[in-house]
Amino acid sequence: MIKSMTGYGRKTVAGEQLKVTVEIKSVNHRFLDFSPKVPRAFLYMEDLMKKKVAEYIHRGHIDLFINIEGNNALNKKLRVEDDLLGQYIDALHSLKTKHELTGDISIDMVTKLEDIFSIVESDDPSPEIESAVLTALEEALQTVVSMRSAEGEKLDSDLRKRLESLSVLIDEVESRRFQVIDEHKEKIISRIQETMKDQFEYDDQRLLQEVALLAERGDITEEIVRFRSHLKQFQSTIESHGAVGRTLDFIVQEFHREINTIGSKSNDPFLSNNVVKLKSEIEKMKEQIQNIE
């Protein structure tokens, strides 16, 4: 069963003093594009999380968000830049002396200085947090896959209907093929008779040969055979497993190629009308396929 590339999953794992929430958003992309937005302390887990994502998802742009709450969840610490503070104080003293300024450097003044204080996270999260993150990640991925599968069922149903429509239209094109040849013959005879009137007697055998050559140049049998082959390939592809979106996109391009050739070979209004209908269906299929994994 085909899958959509659009999905969403959110899972929270909570303990006594800890709550980990993992949120995943999935949208269209040519390849698997993993974009984690996690606390700095968890950057070392990025490769592990990417491998876990790849177990469930083969194609799409994946945004991953991790939020951690709880007492000392990430062992946050206050960092004071002593060296930078010393430079500030030395500079202030120098300015005071140089410009004969009054007043003392107060703690209130120090707290307003830029880049002196910062809060940093520990580079060593506890095993409990790591376990909670991986558990929440896996369960969120399962939700994403479930949503992508549900959307894939809708895409599958739509594509099968359009596939049937293509099959009916190409049958109509083929049924018209021989009639078009006969009409070509009648037009040629009519034009000859109109031009030469009663002064010309045509050789029926020669005329049939000329019509046969004309029909050969405009014959669409090969295109119809190839088009039907592509229909079968498309059918078998959507019934297979794994990421098939790019394969389906290639087959749709082949649909276009054959129909364009049929259109270029035909001057018949009926065939031209069916070519337009075929192109319309194919274009709609192409739009749907852009969202298939």
Side-chain angles (χ1 to χ4, degrees), residues 29-292:
H29 198 274
R30 291 183 62 192
F31 309 102
L32 177 58
D33 182 39
F34 179 61
S35 178
K37 298 172 179 61
V38 302
R40 186 184 61 82
F42 288 89
L43 291 179
Y44 76 98
M45 292 182 65
E46 185 174 326
D47 286 342
L48 178 61
M49 290 187 286
K50 184 176 182 179
K51 289 179 181 178
K52 180 59 66 175
V53 168
E55 291 178 11
Y56 288 85
I57 297 173
H58 300 97
R59 199 159 74 102
H61 174 80
I62 311 299
D63 284 317
L64 172 66
F65 304 89
I66 296 179
N67 183 57
I68 301 174
E69 301 176 35
N71 295 330
N72 300 321
L74 292 176
N75 297 320
K76 294 181 179 179
K77 298 179 180 179
L78 178 66
R79 174 185 292 171
V80 179
E81 300 293 341
D82 287 330
D83 291 340
L84 181 60
L85 177 58
Q87 294 177 48
Y88 268 120
I89 292 174
D90 290 343
L92 289 172
H93 280 305
S94 176
L95 289 172
K96 180 179 179 180
T97 301
K98 182 177 180 180
H99 297 283
E100 298 181 352
L101 301 175
T102 61
D104 297 321
I105 300 174
S106 66
I107 188 65
D108 183 61
M109 183 184 296
V110 169
T111 59
K112 294 178 181 179
L113 296 175
E114 291 187 5
D115 301 323
I116 298 301
F117 302 100
S118 60
I119 298 176
V120 297
E121 298 169 355
S122 170
D123 292 329
D124 186 24
S126 70
E128 178 188 1
I129 297 178
E130 290 184 10
S131 177
V133 167
L134 293 177
T135 298
L137 172 61
E138 184 142 19
E139 295 185 11
L141 282 168
Q142 291 170 358
T143 301
V144 171
V145 171
S146 178
M147 183 177 291
R148 284 162 64 111
S149 296
E151 182 66 22
E153 289 182 10
K154 297 177 183 177
L155 292 172
D156 180 271
S157 176
D158 182 78
L159 289 175
R160 288 178 188 273
K161 290 178 182 178
R162 299 192 186 282
L163 204 62
E164 179 63 27
S165 178
L166 292 182
S167 181
V168 170
L169 287 169
I170 203 67
D171 286 345
E172 292 177 1
V173 168
E174 185 177 37
S175 68
R176 180 72 174 172
R177 183 170 60 90
F178 295 107
Q179 186 175 347
V180 169
I181 294 175
D182 291 338
E183 290 177 357
H184 274 310
K185 177 181 176 180
E186 293 174 3
K187 287 179 181 178
I188 292 173
I189 295 173
S190 177
R191 288 174 183 175
I192 291 175
Q193 291 177 334
E194 179 66 26
T195 302
M196 306 303 295
K197 295 187 177 180
D198 297 333
Q199 302 176 12
F200 178 76
E201 292 183 3
Y202 59 83
D203 183 342
D204 190 60
Q205 186 63 34
R206 176 64 183 275
L207 179 61
L208 291 175
Q209 291 176 356
E210 293 296 328
V211 171
L213 291 173
L214 179 63
E216 183 178 351
R217 289 195 297 271
D219 189 22
I220 56 175
T221 300
E222 290 185 9
E223 287 76 20
I224 292 174
V225 170
R226 285 196 295 267
F227 191 88
R228 285 207 175 102
S229 175
H230 298 326
L231 288 177
K232 292 179 180 179
Q233 187 179 7
F234 193 99
Q235 178 79 36
S236 62
T237 301
I238 62 177
E239 292 174 352
S240 61
H241 298 285
V244 298
R246 297 183 69 185
T247 301
L248 293 176
D249 188 55
F250 173 77
I251 297 173
V252 166
Q253 292 179 39
E254 294 303 304
F255 283 163
H256 269 297
R257 190 192 308 276
E258 305 304 339
I259 295 306
N260 284 336
T261 304
I262 291 174
S264 66
K265 285 185 175 183
S266 172
N267 293 318
D268 177 67
F270 178 86
L271 289 184
S272 297
N273 184 52
N274 272 29
V275 164
V276 171
K277 291 179 180 178
L278 283 160
K279 286 184 176 181
S280 177
E281 286 296 310
I282 293 169
E283 193 62 34
K284 291 173 183 176
M285 293 176 77
K286 184 176 181 180
E287 291 176 5
Q288 295 285 49
I289 288 169
Q290 302 312 306
N291 195 38
I292 294 178

